[in-house]
Amino acid sequence: QVQLVESGGDLVPPGGSRRLSCAASGSIFNIYAMGWYRQAPGKQRELVAVITSGGSTNYADSVKGRFTISRDNAKNTVYLQMNSLKLEDTAVYYCNARQVISTYWGQGTQVTVSS
């Protein structure tokens, strides 16, 4: 089992920045990718960004150039740096970890972009 704990969600003004953290614990070996997803009210959960064990990254078109995913292997933590936040970035952000036969989710952290 892998446990994921997100933190960093908050109320942020448009144009502001925020960094989300996801700390992984438990059976974290063989995790080949970790990512961030988000779900806005009334919408489906969507991929925001993913980083593989090899360091490759991929982003949703809507966040390219504004968000950066990174990881600290020593801390077993993945980060999502969010800059130039827009109203439409408001959502619950979920951390995700993938192993070959299992996928794990965190409990989510709310990011609200509002003036």
mmCIF file of all heavy atoms in Angstrom, residues 31-34 51-56 69-80:
data_model
loop_
_atom_site.group_PDB
_atom_site.id
_atom_site.type_symbol
_atom_site.label_atom_id
_atom_site.label_comp_id
_atom_site.label_asym_id
_atom_site.label_seq_id
_atom_site.Cartn_x
_atom_site.Cartn_y
_atom_site.Cartn_z
ATOM 1 N N ILE A 31 7.113 2.529 -7.766
ATOM 2 C CA ILE A 31 6.269 3.590 -8.315
ATOM 3 C C ILE A 31 6.957 4.099 -9.572
ATOM 4 O O ILE A 31 8.099 4.535 -9.513
ATOM 5 C CB ILE A 31 6.076 4.737 -7.312
ATOM 6 C CG1 ILE A 31 5.222 4.280 -6.133
ATOM 7 C CG2 ILE A 31 5.416 5.937 -8.006
ATOM 8 C CD1 ILE A 31 5.047 5.349 -5.072
ATOM 9 N N TYR A 32 6.294 4.010 -10.709
ATOM 10 C CA TYR A 32 6.933 4.440 -11.946
ATOM 11 C C TYR A 32 6.491 5.816 -12.406
ATOM 12 O O TYR A 32 7.095 6.400 -13.314
ATOM 13 C CB TYR A 32 6.732 3.400 -13.055
ATOM 14 C CG TYR A 32 5.318 3.263 -13.560
ATOM 15 C CD1 TYR A 32 4.820 4.103 -14.546
ATOM 16 C CD2 TYR A 32 4.488 2.271 -13.057
ATOM 17 C CE1 TYR A 32 3.538 3.968 -15.014
ATOM 18 C CE2 TYR A 32 3.197 2.133 -13.520
ATOM 19 C CZ TYR A 32 2.732 2.988 -14.501
ATOM 20 O OH TYR A 32 1.448 2.851 -14.955
ATOM 21 N N ALA A 33 5.448 6.324 -11.801
ATOM 22 C CA ALA A 33 5.014 7.672 -12.168
ATOM 23 C C ALA A 33 4.166 8.246 -11.032
ATOM 24 O O ALA A 33 3.439 7.516 -10.363
ATOM 25 C CB ALA A 33 4.222 7.676 -13.466
ATOM 26 N N MET A 34 4.278 9.557 -10.871
ATOM 27 C CA MET A 34 3.406 10.267 -9.943
ATOM 28 C C MET A 34 2.865 11.488 -10.664
ATOM 29 O O MET A 34 3.540 12.065 -11.528
ATOM 30 C CB MET A 34 4.160 10.670 -8.678
ATOM 31 C CG MET A 34 4.544 9.483 -7.821
ATOM 32 S SD MET A 34 5.202 9.951 -6.208
ATOM 33 C CE MET A 34 3.714 10.592 -5.404
ATOM 34 N N ILE A 51 5.024 13.051 -13.636
ATOM 35 C CA ILE A 51 6.467 12.903 -13.698
ATOM 36 C C ILE A 51 6.795 11.429 -13.500
ATOM 37 O O ILE A 51 6.268 10.788 -12.584
ATOM 38 C CB ILE A 51 7.180 13.802 -12.665
ATOM 39 C CG1 ILE A 51 8.702 13.723 -12.833
ATOM 40 C CG2 ILE A 51 6.759 13.469 -11.239
ATOM 41 C CD1 ILE A 51 9.441 14.827 -12.080
ATOM 42 N N THR A 52 7.649 10.893 -14.369
ATOM 43 C CA THR A 52 7.997 9.476 -14.274
ATOM 44 C C THR A 52 9.217 9.282 -13.378
ATOM 45 O O THR A 52 9.898 10.241 -13.013
ATOM 46 C CB THR A 52 8.300 8.903 -15.654
ATOM 47 O OG1 THR A 52 9.533 9.469 -16.130
ATOM 48 C CG2 THR A 52 7.183 9.203 -16.639
ATOM 49 N N SER A 53 9.500 8.032 -13.076
ATOM 50 C CA SER A 53 10.674 7.729 -12.263
ATOM 51 C C SER A 53 11.961 8.136 -12.970
ATOM 52 O O SER A 53 12.976 8.393 -12.328
ATOM 53 C CB SER A 53 10.708 6.243 -11.924
ATOM 54 O OG SER A 53 10.707 5.466 -13.108
ATOM 55 N N GLY A 54 11.893 8.231 -14.294
ATOM 56 C CA GLY A 54 13.055 8.672 -15.053
ATOM 57 C C GLY A 54 13.167 10.181 -15.180
ATOM 58 O O GLY A 54 14.136 10.687 -15.740
ATOM 59 N N GLY A 55 12.172 10.883 -14.654
ATOM 60 C CA GLY A 55 12.222 12.336 -14.669
ATOM 61 C C GLY A 55 11.489 12.989 -15.823
ATOM 62 O O GLY A 55 11.440 14.226 -15.917
ATOM 63 N N SER A 56 10.894 12.205 -16.690
ATOM 64 C CA SER A 56 10.123 12.787 -17.783
ATOM 65 C C SER A 56 8.836 13.397 -17.251
ATOM 66 O O SER A 56 8.240 12.872 -16.310
ATOM 67 C CB SER A 56 9.797 11.713 -18.828
ATOM 68 O OG SER A 56 10.973 11.183 -19.394
ATOM 69 N N ILE A 69 5.866 20.462 -12.438
ATOM 70 C CA ILE A 69 5.896 19.325 -11.524
ATOM 71 C C ILE A 69 7.353 18.949 -11.273
ATOM 72 O O ILE A 69 8.187 18.973 -12.182
ATOM 73 C CB ILE A 69 5.096 18.131 -12.087
ATOM 74 C CG1 ILE A 69 4.947 17.033 -11.020
ATOM 75 C CG2 ILE A 69 5.709 17.593 -13.369
ATOM 76 C CD1 ILE A 69 3.951 15.935 -11.421
ATOM 77 N N SER A 70 7.651 18.616 -10.035
ATOM 78 C CA SER A 70 9.008 18.222 -9.678
ATOM 79 C C SER A 70 8.946 17.238 -8.525
ATOM 80 O O SER A 70 7.877 17.003 -7.954
ATOM 81 C CB SER A 70 9.855 19.443 -9.292
ATOM 82 O OG SER A 70 9.311 20.078 -8.151
ATOM 83 N N ARG A 71 10.073 16.667 -8.194
ATOM 84 C CA ARG A 71 10.083 15.697 -7.109
ATOM 85 C C ARG A 71 11.386 15.791 -6.322
ATOM 86 O O ARG A 71 12.415 16.204 -6.842
ATOM 87 C CB ARG A 71 9.925 14.281 -7.662
ATOM 88 C CG ARG A 71 11.097 13.872 -8.547
ATOM 89 C CD ARG A 71 10.901 12.511 -9.139
ATOM 90 N NE ARG A 71 12.114 12.086 -9.818
ATOM 91 C CZ ARG A 71 12.229 10.964 -10.496
ATOM 92 N NH1 ARG A 71 11.197 10.162 -10.601
ATOM 93 N NH2 ARG A 71 13.366 10.636 -11.070
ATOM 94 N N ASP A 72 11.289 15.391 -5.069
ATOM 95 C CA ASP A 72 12.452 15.290 -4.198
ATOM 96 C C ASP A 72 12.500 13.837 -3.741
ATOM 97 O O ASP A 72 11.736 13.442 -2.849
ATOM 98 C CB ASP A 72 12.313 16.251 -3.013
ATOM 99 C CG ASP A 72 13.531 16.255 -2.112
ATOM 100 O OD1 ASP A 72 14.250 15.228 -2.056
ATOM 101 O OD2 ASP A 72 13.764 17.264 -1.448
ATOM 102 N N ASN A 73 13.363 13.055 -4.343
ATOM 103 C CA ASN A 73 13.407 11.626 -4.032
ATOM 104 C C ASN A 73 13.798 11.364 -2.578
ATOM 105 O O ASN A 73 13.325 10.413 -1.966
ATOM 106 C CB ASN A 73 14.382 10.915 -4.958
ATOM 107 C CG ASN A 73 13.875 10.858 -6.385
ATOM 108 O OD1 ASN A 73 12.659 10.871 -6.620
ATOM 109 N ND2 ASN A 73 14.780 10.808 -7.349
ATOM 110 N N ALA A 74 14.635 12.215 -2.023
ATOM 111 C CA ALA A 74 15.078 12.018 -0.637
ATOM 112 C C ALA A 74 13.909 12.171 0.331
ATOM 113 O O ALA A 74 13.891 11.546 1.393
ATOM 114 C CB ALA A 74 16.179 12.998 -0.292
ATOM 115 N N LYS A 75 12.935 12.994 -0.050
ATOM 116 C CA LYS A 75 11.782 13.236 0.811
ATOM 117 C C LYS A 75 10.547 12.474 0.357
ATOM 118 O O LYS A 75 9.479 12.606 0.956
ATOM 119 C CB LYS A 75 11.471 14.735 0.867
ATOM 120 C CG LYS A 75 12.564 15.576 1.491
ATOM 121 C CD LYS A 75 12.161 17.045 1.541
ATOM 122 C CE LYS A 75 13.233 17.886 2.202
ATOM 123 N NZ LYS A 75 12.858 19.333 2.249
ATOM 124 N N ASN A 76 10.691 11.712 -0.730
ATOM 125 C CA ASN A 76 9.538 10.983 -1.294
ATOM 126 C C ASN A 76 8.355 11.915 -1.507
ATOM 127 O O ASN A 76 7.204 11.597 -1.180
ATOM 128 C CB ASN A 76 9.133 9.821 -0.384
ATOM 129 C CG ASN A 76 10.238 8.802 -0.225
ATOM 130 O OD1 ASN A 76 10.939 8.487 -1.187
ATOM 131 N ND2 ASN A 76 10.426 8.308 0.975
ATOM 132 N N THR A 77 8.653 13.072 -2.050
ATOM 133 C CA THR A 77 7.642 14.120 -2.206
ATOM 134 C C THR A 77 7.646 14.640 -3.630
ATOM 135 O O THR A 77 8.703 14.814 -4.235
ATOM 136 C CB THR A 77 7.912 15.267 -1.221
ATOM 137 O OG1 THR A 77 7.842 14.767 0.112
ATOM 138 C CG2 THR A 77 6.878 16.372 -1.381
ATOM 139 N N VAL A 78 6.450 14.862 -4.130
ATOM 140 C CA VAL A 78 6.256 15.466 -5.444
ATOM 141 C C VAL A 78 5.583 16.822 -5.242
ATOM 142 O O VAL A 78 4.715 16.964 -4.376
ATOM 143 C CB VAL A 78 5.396 14.563 -6.345
ATOM 144 C CG1 VAL A 78 5.034 15.263 -7.634
ATOM 145 C CG2 VAL A 78 6.137 13.278 -6.657
ATOM 146 N N TYR A 79 5.996 17.776 -6.042
ATOM 147 C CA TYR A 79 5.491 19.133 -5.923
ATOM 148 C C TYR A 79 4.794 19.561 -7.217
ATOM 149 O O TYR A 79 5.111 19.083 -8.299
ATOM 150 C CB TYR A 79 6.624 20.107 -5.632
ATOM 151 C CG TYR A 79 7.416 19.770 -4.394
ATOM 152 C CD1 TYR A 79 8.628 19.075 -4.491
ATOM 153 C CD2 TYR A 79 6.960 20.134 -3.134
ATOM 154 C CE1 TYR A 79 9.360 18.757 -3.362
ATOM 155 C CE2 TYR A 79 7.693 19.819 -1.997
ATOM 156 C CZ TYR A 79 8.888 19.133 -2.112
ATOM 157 O OH TYR A 79 9.615 18.823 -0.992
ATOM 158 N N LEU A 80 3.886 20.491 -7.083
ATOM 159 C CA LEU A 80 3.285 21.142 -8.231
ATOM 160 C C LEU A 80 3.353 22.648 -7.972
ATOM 161 O O LEU A 80 2.631 23.163 -7.127
ATOM 162 C CB LEU A 80 1.837 20.701 -8.449
ATOM 163 C CG LEU A 80 1.180 21.274 -9.697
ATOM 164 C CD1 LEU A 80 1.828 20.680 -10.956
ATOM 165 C CD2 LEU A 80 -0.318 20.999 -9.713
#
